[in-house]
Amino acid sequence: MRIVLVGPPGAGKGTQAQFIASHLAIPKISTGDIFRHNVTNGTPLGRQAKEYMNRGDLVPDEVTIAMVRDRLGEDDAQAGFLLDGFPRNVPQAETLKKLLTDWGTRLTVVLELVVDEDEVVRRLSGRRTCRRCERVWHILFDPPTRDGICDACGGELFQRDDDREETVRHRLEVYTKQTAPLVAYYADEGILIGIDATGPVEEITERALAALRPFAR
Ligand code: AP5
């Protein structure tokens, strides 16, 4: 299956992507994670992306698209993938469509995680991420056993720079203006499904897998 996850910052895309991708045995491709790796490692791509990410703006399309094209060309993505954080605007969606058409394939389904703004602000303010394995935690809703330490791998947990309150507000504006139009775009394409993404994480995973089941071949 070739799946895109869409939803506002803090909707739980990263949280759900890890479970859905592992259940379907397809790679999870998160543009945010790839950018953050590059920022941490000080690569040229990371240096290009850092200032946009810290402001909560989108990294320019030409940079993002080149990176995604390379990643989708890798062997493990040939039988399917789950995209988390891409596309992020209509031009990226058009480019993805063309790229897949050129490769003789197309998206199977786009899954929208529906959550209101108050909930995403609560989620982002308590988010912590593992530096080593990237497992996402929440200090109240999904706390690790030991403060600041990842239960999955023992790595150190950190708070993302773009989770500061004013940056979160700006990211939500960017979502509304640039990314939310994708919901109508994919509805027009006839491949959009949406689920309520509030409630316990495991229940949302169940809802997502049930919604995706009819698309599995
Ligand atoms: P990216 O990393 O993609 O950030 P985002 O879309 O803003 O999404 P988040 O990672 O903030 O949230 P999420 O939906 O994954 O939620 P999570 O699962 O962590 O992008 C970051 C930046 O990179 C962008 O701003 C941009 O600069 C750049 N970028 C990336 N892609 C780009 C592109 N295509 N084009 C241009 N630029 C791009 O959950 C949030 C918290 O809630 C966690 O603490 C979690 O534990 C908790 N939680 C999850 N589910 C629940 C639940 N059911 N109940 C309670 N808490 C929950």
Side-chain angles (χ1 to χ4, degrees), residues 7-16 30-33 35-36 49 52-53 56-61 64 84-88 92 119 123-124 126-128 136-139 141-142 160 162-163 171 197-201 204:
K13 300 183 297 296
T15 302
Q16 293 302 328
S30 157
T31 42
D33 285 350
F35 281 134
R36 277 184 290 280
Y52 295 97
M53 296 178 77
D57 284 324
L58 296 186
V59 178
D61 284 353
T64 308
D84 159 19
F86 184 93
R88 211 53 168 236
Q92 290 184 8
E119 177 69 9
R123 289 185 185 180
L124 292 177
R127 170 166 57 190
R128 299 292 183 272
V136 178
W137 299 90
H138 192 283
I139 53 173
F141 306 139
D142 185 18
R160 279 171 40 175
D162 60 351
D163 280 348
R171 285 165 60 205
T198 53
V201 168
I204 299 165

Short mmCIF file of all heavy atoms in Angstrom, two decimals, residues 7-16 30-33 35-36 49 52-53 56-61 64 84-88 92 119 123-124 126-128 136-139 141-142 160 162-163 171 197-201 204, ligand 1:
data_model
loop_
_atom_site.label_atom_id
_atom_site.label_comp_id
_atom_site.label_asym_id
_atom_site.label_seq_id
_atom_site.Cartn_x
_atom_site.Cartn_y
_atom_site.Cartn_z
N GLY A 7 -2.71 15.63 8.59
CA GLY A 7 -3.34 16.11 9.82
C GLY A 7 -2.49 17.22 10.38
O GLY A 7 -1.32 17.35 10.03
N PRO A 8 -3.06 18.04 11.27
CA PRO A 8 -2.30 19.18 11.79
C PRO A 8 -1.11 18.74 12.64
O PRO A 8 -1.04 17.58 13.05
CB PRO A 8 -3.34 19.92 12.64
CG PRO A 8 -4.38 18.91 12.97
CD PRO A 8 -4.41 17.95 11.83
N PRO A 9 -0.20 19.68 12.94
CA PRO A 9 0.89 19.38 13.86
C PRO A 9 0.28 18.84 15.15
O PRO A 9 -0.71 19.39 15.65
CB PRO A 9 1.53 20.75 14.13
CG PRO A 9 1.06 21.66 13.06
CD PRO A 9 -0.21 21.09 12.52
N GLY A 10 0.83 17.76 15.66
CA GLY A 10 0.34 17.21 16.93
C GLY A 10 -0.87 16.31 16.79
O GLY A 10 -1.39 15.81 17.78
N ALA A 11 -1.30 16.04 15.57
CA ALA A 11 -2.47 15.16 15.39
C ALA A 11 -2.16 13.72 15.79
O ALA A 11 -3.07 12.92 16.02
CB ALA A 11 -2.94 15.20 13.94
N GLY A 12 -0.86 13.40 15.85
CA GLY A 12 -0.47 12.03 16.18
C GLY A 12 -0.01 11.26 14.95
O GLY A 12 0.02 10.03 14.96
N LYS A 13 0.41 11.98 13.92
CA LYS A 13 0.85 11.31 12.69
C LYS A 13 2.07 10.42 12.97
O LYS A 13 2.10 9.25 12.58
CB LYS A 13 1.20 12.35 11.60
CG LYS A 13 0.04 13.25 11.20
CD LYS A 13 0.42 14.20 10.09
CE LYS A 13 1.51 15.18 10.47
NZ LYS A 13 1.16 16.12 11.55
N GLY A 14 3.07 11.00 13.64
CA GLY A 14 4.29 10.23 13.94
C GLY A 14 3.97 9.04 14.84
O GLY A 14 4.45 7.93 14.62
N THR A 15 3.14 9.27 15.86
CA THR A 15 2.77 8.20 16.81
C THR A 15 2.08 7.07 16.07
O THR A 15 2.43 5.89 16.22
CB THR A 15 1.81 8.78 17.88
OG1 THR A 15 2.46 9.86 18.54
CG2 THR A 15 1.39 7.73 18.88
N GLN A 16 1.08 7.40 15.25
CA GLN A 16 0.33 6.36 14.54
C GLN A 16 1.15 5.75 13.41
O GLN A 16 1.03 4.54 13.15
CB GLN A 16 -0.99 6.93 14.00
CG GLN A 16 -1.96 7.33 15.10
CD GLN A 16 -2.33 6.16 16.03
OE1 GLN A 16 -2.37 5.01 15.60
NE2 GLN A 16 -2.57 6.47 17.29
N SER A 30 9.13 9.81 7.17
CA SER A 30 8.72 11.08 7.78
C SER A 30 9.69 12.17 7.35
O SER A 30 10.88 12.11 7.68
CB SER A 30 8.74 10.93 9.31
OG SER A 30 8.86 12.20 9.90
N THR A 31 9.18 13.15 6.61
CA THR A 31 10.07 14.22 6.16
C THR A 31 10.59 15.01 7.36
O THR A 31 11.75 15.43 7.37
CB THR A 31 9.36 15.15 5.15
OG1 THR A 31 8.03 15.41 5.60
CG2 THR A 31 9.33 14.54 3.78
N GLY A 32 9.75 15.21 8.39
CA GLY A 32 10.21 15.91 9.58
C GLY A 32 11.39 15.17 10.22
O GLY A 32 12.40 15.78 10.58
N ASP A 33 11.28 13.83 10.36
CA ASP A 33 12.37 13.05 10.96
C ASP A 33 13.64 13.14 10.11
O ASP A 33 14.74 13.27 10.64
CB ASP A 33 11.99 11.56 11.07
CG ASP A 33 11.00 11.29 12.20
OD1 ASP A 33 10.75 12.21 13.00
OD2 ASP A 33 10.48 10.16 12.26
N PHE A 35 14.54 15.55 8.07
CA PHE A 35 15.13 16.89 8.27
C PHE A 35 15.83 16.98 9.62
O PHE A 35 16.94 17.50 9.73
CB PHE A 35 14.05 17.98 8.16
CG PHE A 35 13.65 18.32 6.75
CD1 PHE A 35 12.31 18.45 6.41
CD2 PHE A 35 14.61 18.55 5.77
CE1 PHE A 35 11.93 18.77 5.11
CE2 PHE A 35 14.23 18.87 4.47
CZ PHE A 35 12.89 18.99 4.14
N ARG A 36 15.16 16.48 10.68
CA ARG A 36 15.76 16.60 12.03
C ARG A 36 17.08 15.83 12.12
O ARG A 36 18.04 16.31 12.71
CB ARG A 36 14.78 16.12 13.12
CG ARG A 36 13.78 17.21 13.52
CD ARG A 36 12.89 16.78 14.66
NE ARG A 36 11.94 15.76 14.29
CZ ARG A 36 10.79 16.00 13.63
NH1 ARG A 36 10.45 17.22 13.30
NH2 ARG A 36 9.98 15.02 13.30
N ALA A 49 17.62 23.45 6.05
CA ALA A 49 16.27 23.27 6.60
C ALA A 49 16.08 23.96 7.96
O ALA A 49 14.97 24.37 8.30
CB ALA A 49 15.97 21.77 6.76
N TYR A 52 14.07 27.34 8.64
CA TYR A 52 12.63 27.23 8.32
C TYR A 52 11.92 26.44 9.43
O TYR A 52 10.84 26.82 9.88
CB TYR A 52 12.43 26.50 6.99
CG TYR A 52 12.99 27.25 5.81
CD1 TYR A 52 14.25 26.94 5.30
CD2 TYR A 52 12.27 28.29 5.22
CE1 TYR A 52 14.78 27.64 4.22
CE2 TYR A 52 12.79 28.99 4.15
CZ TYR A 52 14.05 28.66 3.65
OH TYR A 52 14.56 29.35 2.60
N MET A 53 12.54 25.34 9.84
CA MET A 53 11.91 24.49 10.87
C MET A 53 11.77 25.24 12.18
O MET A 53 10.73 25.17 12.83
CB MET A 53 12.73 23.22 11.07
CG MET A 53 12.76 22.36 9.83
SD MET A 53 13.76 20.91 10.04
CE MET A 53 12.70 19.87 11.02
N GLY A 56 8.94 27.41 12.10
CA GLY A 56 7.66 26.74 11.89
C GLY A 56 7.16 26.89 10.47
O GLY A 56 5.99 26.62 10.18
N ASP A 57 8.06 27.33 9.57
CA ASP A 57 7.69 27.45 8.15
C ASP A 57 8.04 26.17 7.41
O ASP A 57 8.86 25.37 7.86
CB ASP A 57 8.48 28.61 7.50
CG ASP A 57 7.90 29.96 7.90
OD1 ASP A 57 6.66 30.04 8.04
OD2 ASP A 57 8.69 30.90 8.08
N LEU A 58 7.44 26.01 6.22
CA LEU A 58 7.80 24.86 5.40
C LEU A 58 9.17 25.07 4.78
O LEU A 58 9.52 26.19 4.39
CB LEU A 58 6.77 24.66 4.28
CG LEU A 58 5.35 24.33 4.71
CD1 LEU A 58 4.49 24.01 3.48
CD2 LEU A 58 5.32 23.16 5.69
N VAL A 59 9.94 24.00 4.71
CA VAL A 59 11.22 24.03 3.98
C VAL A 59 10.85 24.16 2.50
O VAL A 59 9.83 23.59 2.06
CB VAL A 59 11.99 22.71 4.27
CG1 VAL A 59 13.30 22.67 3.49
CG2 VAL A 59 12.24 22.55 5.77
N PRO A 60 11.65 24.92 1.70
CA PRO A 60 11.25 25.13 0.29
C PRO A 60 11.00 23.81 -0.45
O PRO A 60 11.69 22.82 -0.24
CB PRO A 60 12.44 25.88 -0.29
CG PRO A 60 13.05 26.59 0.87
CD PRO A 60 12.84 25.68 2.05
N ASP A 61 10.01 23.87 -1.35
CA ASP A 61 9.59 22.66 -2.06
C ASP A 61 10.74 21.97 -2.81
O ASP A 61 10.81 20.74 -2.81
CB ASP A 61 8.49 23.01 -3.08
CG ASP A 61 7.14 23.22 -2.41
OD1 ASP A 61 7.04 22.97 -1.19
OD2 ASP A 61 6.21 23.67 -3.09
N THR A 64 12.69 19.85 -0.40
CA THR A 64 11.91 18.74 0.17
C THR A 64 11.63 17.67 -0.90
O THR A 64 11.77 16.47 -0.65
CB THR A 64 10.57 19.29 0.71
OG1 THR A 64 10.86 20.38 1.59
CG2 THR A 64 9.80 18.23 1.45
N ASP A 84 4.62 10.34 6.13
CA ASP A 84 4.18 11.16 7.27
C ASP A 84 4.81 12.55 7.11
O ASP A 84 6.03 12.68 7.22
CB ASP A 84 4.64 10.48 8.56
CG ASP A 84 4.71 11.42 9.77
OD1 ASP A 84 4.10 12.49 9.73
OD2 ASP A 84 5.41 11.05 10.75
N GLY A 85 3.98 13.56 6.80
CA GLY A 85 4.51 14.93 6.68
C GLY A 85 4.77 15.36 5.25
O GLY A 85 5.26 16.47 5.03
N PHE A 86 4.49 14.52 4.31
CA PHE A 86 4.63 14.85 2.89
C PHE A 86 3.50 14.15 2.14
O PHE A 86 3.26 12.97 2.40
CB PHE A 86 5.98 14.36 2.35
CG PHE A 86 6.21 14.77 0.91
CD1 PHE A 86 6.87 15.94 0.61
CD2 PHE A 86 5.74 13.98 -0.14
CE1 PHE A 86 7.08 16.33 -0.71
CE2 PHE A 86 5.93 14.37 -1.46
CZ PHE A 86 6.60 15.55 -1.74
N PRO A 87 2.84 14.82 1.19
CA PRO A 87 2.99 16.23 0.82
C PRO A 87 2.40 17.17 1.86
O PRO A 87 1.58 16.78 2.69
CB PRO A 87 2.22 16.31 -0.50
CG PRO A 87 1.26 15.19 -0.47
CD PRO A 87 1.85 14.12 0.38
N ARG A 88 2.81 18.43 1.76
CA ARG A 88 2.45 19.43 2.75
C ARG A 88 1.75 20.62 2.10
O ARG A 88 1.36 21.55 2.75
CB ARG A 88 3.77 19.89 3.32
CG ARG A 88 3.91 20.35 4.70
CD ARG A 88 3.41 19.43 5.76
NE ARG A 88 3.89 19.91 7.01
CZ ARG A 88 4.61 19.21 7.86
NH1 ARG A 88 4.87 17.95 7.61
NH2 ARG A 88 5.02 19.75 8.96
N GLN A 92 3.39 20.09 -3.79
CA GLN A 92 4.07 18.83 -3.43
C GLN A 92 3.19 17.63 -3.81
O GLN A 92 3.70 16.60 -4.26
CB GLN A 92 4.38 18.79 -1.93
CG GLN A 92 5.47 19.77 -1.50
CD GLN A 92 5.83 19.65 -0.01
OE1 GLN A 92 5.39 18.74 0.69
NE2 GLN A 92 6.64 20.58 0.47
N GLU A 119 -6.67 20.37 21.44
CA GLU A 119 -6.03 19.08 21.72
C GLU A 119 -4.60 19.06 21.17
O GLU A 119 -3.69 18.58 21.83
CB GLU A 119 -6.87 17.94 21.11
CG GLU A 119 -6.28 16.54 21.24
CD GLU A 119 -6.27 16.00 22.68
OE1 GLU A 119 -6.87 16.61 23.57
OE2 GLU A 119 -5.62 14.95 22.88
N ARG A 123 -1.13 18.44 23.21
CA ARG A 123 -0.22 17.34 22.86
C ARG A 123 1.19 17.84 22.60
O ARG A 123 2.17 17.25 23.05
CB ARG A 123 -0.74 16.61 21.62
CG ARG A 123 -1.98 15.79 21.91
CD ARG A 123 -2.38 15.00 20.69
NE ARG A 123 -3.63 14.29 20.91
CZ ARG A 123 -4.19 13.51 20.00
NH1 ARG A 123 -3.63 13.37 18.81
NH2 ARG A 123 -5.32 12.90 20.26
N LEU A 124 1.30 18.96 21.87
CA LEU A 124 2.65 19.41 21.49
C LEU A 124 3.42 19.96 22.68
O LEU A 124 4.63 19.81 22.76
CB LEU A 124 2.56 20.46 20.38
CG LEU A 124 2.08 19.91 19.03
CD1 LEU A 124 1.97 21.02 18.01
CD2 LEU A 124 3.02 18.82 18.52
N GLY A 126 3.53 18.90 25.62
CA GLY A 126 4.12 17.86 26.47
C GLY A 126 4.90 16.81 25.70
O GLY A 126 5.32 15.79 26.26
N ARG A 127 5.11 17.04 24.42
CA ARG A 127 5.79 16.00 23.62
C ARG A 127 7.28 15.92 23.98
O ARG A 127 7.96 16.92 24.14
CB ARG A 127 5.66 16.32 22.14
CG ARG A 127 6.56 15.40 21.29
CD ARG A 127 6.24 15.41 19.85
NE ARG A 127 6.29 16.72 19.25
CZ ARG A 127 5.85 16.97 18.02
NH1 ARG A 127 5.33 16.00 17.30
NH2 ARG A 127 5.94 18.18 17.52
N ARG A 128 7.79 14.71 24.03
CA ARG A 128 9.22 14.47 24.15
C ARG A 128 9.58 13.39 23.13
O ARG A 128 8.81 12.46 22.90
CB ARG A 128 9.61 13.97 25.55
CG ARG A 128 9.28 14.95 26.67
CD ARG A 128 10.14 16.22 26.63
NE ARG A 128 9.84 17.11 27.75
CZ ARG A 128 8.88 18.05 27.73
NH1 ARG A 128 8.14 18.21 26.65
NH2 ARG A 128 8.68 18.81 28.79
N VAL A 136 8.19 8.66 20.04
CA VAL A 136 7.56 9.87 20.56
C VAL A 136 6.83 9.55 21.86
O VAL A 136 6.12 8.55 21.94
CB VAL A 136 6.55 10.42 19.52
CG1 VAL A 136 5.85 11.65 20.07
CG2 VAL A 136 7.26 10.77 18.22
N TRP A 137 7.01 10.41 22.90
CA TRP A 137 6.36 10.24 24.20
C TRP A 137 5.58 11.51 24.53
O TRP A 137 5.73 12.53 23.86
CB TRP A 137 7.40 10.00 25.30
CG TRP A 137 8.22 8.78 25.07
CD1 TRP A 137 9.40 8.69 24.38
CD2 TRP A 137 7.93 7.45 25.50
NE1 TRP A 137 9.85 7.39 24.35
CE2 TRP A 137 8.96 6.60 25.05
CE3 TRP A 137 6.88 6.88 26.25
CZ2 TRP A 137 8.98 5.24 25.31
CZ3 TRP A 137 6.91 5.52 26.51
CH2 TRP A 137 7.95 4.70 26.04
N HIS A 138 4.79 11.45 25.59
CA HIS A 138 4.13 12.65 26.11
C HIS A 138 4.22 12.60 27.62
O HIS A 138 3.95 11.55 28.22
CB HIS A 138 2.66 12.71 25.66
CG HIS A 138 2.03 14.04 25.91
ND1 HIS A 138 1.62 14.44 27.17
CD2 HIS A 138 1.78 15.09 25.09
CE1 HIS A 138 1.12 15.67 27.09
NE2 HIS A 138 1.22 16.09 25.83
N ILE A 139 4.59 13.75 28.24
CA ILE A 139 4.84 13.72 29.69
C ILE A 139 3.59 13.37 30.50
O ILE A 139 3.70 12.83 31.59
CB ILE A 139 5.47 15.05 30.19
CG1 ILE A 139 4.63 16.24 29.75
CG2 ILE A 139 6.90 15.19 29.72
CD1 ILE A 139 5.10 17.56 30.35
N PHE A 141 0.29 12.13 28.69
CA PHE A 141 -0.58 11.15 28.02
C PHE A 141 0.10 9.83 27.72
O PHE A 141 -0.56 8.82 27.53
CB PHE A 141 -1.13 11.73 26.71
CG PHE A 141 -1.82 13.07 26.87
CD1 PHE A 141 -1.64 14.08 25.95
CD2 PHE A 141 -2.67 13.31 27.95
CE1 PHE A 141 -2.28 15.31 26.08
CE2 PHE A 141 -3.31 14.52 28.10
CZ PHE A 141 -3.11 15.53 27.17
N ASP A 142 1.43 9.85 27.64
CA ASP A 142 2.16 8.61 27.31
C ASP A 142 3.56 8.73 27.90
O ASP A 142 4.56 8.78 27.19
CB ASP A 142 2.23 8.47 25.77
CG ASP A 142 2.85 7.16 25.34
OD1 ASP A 142 2.94 6.23 26.15
OD2 ASP A 142 3.28 7.09 24.16
N ARG A 160 11.37 19.25 21.18
CA ARG A 160 11.70 19.87 19.89
C ARG A 160 11.68 21.39 19.98
O ARG A 160 10.83 21.97 20.63
CB ARG A 160 10.69 19.41 18.82
CG ARG A 160 11.03 18.05 18.27
CD ARG A 160 9.98 17.46 17.38
NE ARG A 160 9.31 18.36 16.45
CZ ARG A 160 8.42 17.96 15.55
NH1 ARG A 160 8.13 16.66 15.45
NH2 ARG A 160 7.83 18.81 14.75
N ASP A 162 10.76 23.43 17.78
CA ASP A 162 9.57 24.03 17.19
C ASP A 162 8.30 23.74 18.00
O ASP A 162 7.20 24.04 17.55
CB ASP A 162 9.39 23.61 15.72
CG ASP A 162 9.25 22.11 15.52
OD1 ASP A 162 9.44 21.35 16.49
OD2 ASP A 162 8.93 21.70 14.39
N ASP A 163 8.45 23.19 19.21
CA ASP A 163 7.28 23.00 20.08
C ASP A 163 7.10 24.14 21.07
O ASP A 163 6.27 24.06 21.97
CB ASP A 163 7.36 21.65 20.82
CG ASP A 163 6.92 20.48 19.93
OD1 ASP A 163 6.35 20.74 18.85
OD2 ASP A 163 7.14 19.33 20.31
N ARG A 171 2.92 27.26 13.28
CA ARG A 171 2.80 26.00 12.51
C ARG A 171 1.33 25.69 12.22
O ARG A 171 1.01 25.17 11.15
CB ARG A 171 3.45 24.84 13.29
CG ARG A 171 4.97 24.91 13.24
CD ARG A 171 5.60 24.02 14.29
NE ARG A 171 5.26 22.64 14.16
CZ ARG A 171 5.29 21.77 15.18
NH1 ARG A 171 5.62 22.16 16.39
NH2 ARG A 171 4.99 20.52 14.96
N ALA A 197 -9.18 11.22 15.56
CA ALA A 197 -7.88 10.87 16.14
C ALA A 197 -7.77 11.30 17.60
O ALA A 197 -6.68 11.61 18.08
CB ALA A 197 -6.75 11.46 15.30
N THR A 198 -8.92 11.33 18.29
CA THR A 198 -8.88 11.59 19.73
C THR A 198 -9.21 10.29 20.47
O THR A 198 -9.92 9.44 19.96
CB THR A 198 -9.90 12.68 20.14
OG1 THR A 198 -11.19 12.32 19.66
CG2 THR A 198 -9.53 14.03 19.57
N GLY A 199 -8.66 10.21 21.70
CA GLY A 199 -8.85 8.99 22.50
C GLY A 199 -7.52 8.29 22.67
O GLY A 199 -6.47 8.81 22.26
N PRO A 200 -7.53 7.10 23.29
CA PRO A 200 -6.28 6.38 23.53
C PRO A 200 -5.57 6.00 22.23
O PRO A 200 -6.22 5.67 21.23
CB PRO A 200 -6.72 5.13 24.29
CG PRO A 200 -8.08 5.44 24.81
CD PRO A 200 -8.70 6.42 23.86
N VAL A 201 -4.24 6.05 22.26
CA VAL A 201 -3.41 5.79 21.07
C VAL A 201 -3.78 4.44 20.42
O VAL A 201 -3.95 4.35 19.20
CB VAL A 201 -1.91 5.81 21.46
CG1 VAL A 201 -1.03 5.27 20.35
CG2 VAL A 201 -1.49 7.23 21.84
N ILE A 204 -6.95 4.50 18.43
CA ILE A 204 -6.82 5.22 17.16
C ILE A 204 -6.11 4.32 16.14
O ILE A 204 -6.48 4.28 14.97
CB ILE A 204 -6.07 6.55 17.37
CG1 ILE A 204 -6.88 7.43 18.34
CG2 ILE A 204 -5.84 7.28 16.05
CD1 ILE A 204 -6.11 8.59 18.91
P1 AP5 B 1 6.93 17.38 11.19
O1 AP5 B 1 7.91 16.67 12.01
O2 AP5 B 1 6.24 16.67 10.08
O3 AP5 B 1 5.89 18.08 12.17
P2 AP5 B 1 4.30 18.24 12.12
O4 AP5 B 1 3.55 17.90 10.91
O5 AP5 B 1 4.11 19.62 12.62
O6 AP5 B 1 3.81 17.14 12.99
P3 AP5 B 1 4.32 16.80 14.38
O7 AP5 B 1 5.53 15.93 14.29
O8 AP5 B 1 4.47 18.07 15.20
O9 AP5 B 1 3.06 16.06 15.02
P4 AP5 B 1 2.50 14.62 14.77
O10 AP5 B 1 1.18 14.72 14.09
O11 AP5 B 1 3.53 13.70 14.18
O12 AP5 B 1 2.20 14.23 16.29
P5 AP5 B 1 2.96 13.20 17.26
O13 AP5 B 1 2.67 11.81 16.87
O14 AP5 B 1 4.38 13.60 17.46
O15 AP5 B 1 7.60 18.68 10.52
C1 AP5 B 1 8.44 19.54 11.26
C2 AP5 B 1 8.97 20.63 10.33
O16 AP5 B 1 9.75 20.04 9.26
C3 AP5 B 1 7.89 21.45 9.59
O17 AP5 B 1 7.40 22.52 10.40
C4 AP5 B 1 8.69 21.94 8.37
O18 AP5 B 1 9.54 23.02 8.72
C5 AP5 B 1 9.55 20.73 8.03
N1 AP5 B 1 8.88 19.83 7.06
C6 AP5 B 1 8.50 18.55 7.29
N2 AP5 B 1 7.91 18.05 6.18
C7 AP5 B 1 7.90 19.05 5.26
C8 AP5 B 1 7.41 19.12 3.92
N3 AP5 B 1 6.79 18.10 3.34
N4 AP5 B 1 7.58 20.30 3.26
C9 AP5 B 1 8.21 21.35 3.85
N5 AP5 B 1 8.69 21.33 5.11
C10 AP5 B 1 8.54 20.18 5.81
O19 AP5 B 1 2.13 13.49 18.62
C11 AP5 B 1 2.23 14.72 19.31
C12 AP5 B 1 2.21 14.46 20.84
O20 AP5 B 1 0.93 13.98 21.19
C13 AP5 B 1 3.22 13.40 21.32
O21 AP5 B 1 3.76 13.79 22.54
C14 AP5 B 1 2.37 12.13 21.48
O22 AP5 B 1 2.88 11.29 22.51
C15 AP5 B 1 1.02 12.72 21.86
N6 AP5 B 1 -0.09 11.91 21.40
C16 AP5 B 1 -0.20 11.25 20.21
N7 AP5 B 1 -1.38 10.63 20.12
C17 AP5 B 1 -2.05 10.91 21.27
C18 AP5 B 1 -3.33 10.56 21.78
N8 AP5 B 1 -4.17 9.78 21.09
N9 AP5 B 1 -3.71 11.04 22.98
C19 AP5 B 1 -2.87 11.83 23.70
N10 AP5 B 1 -1.63 12.18 23.27
C20 AP5 B 1 -1.22 11.73 22.08
#
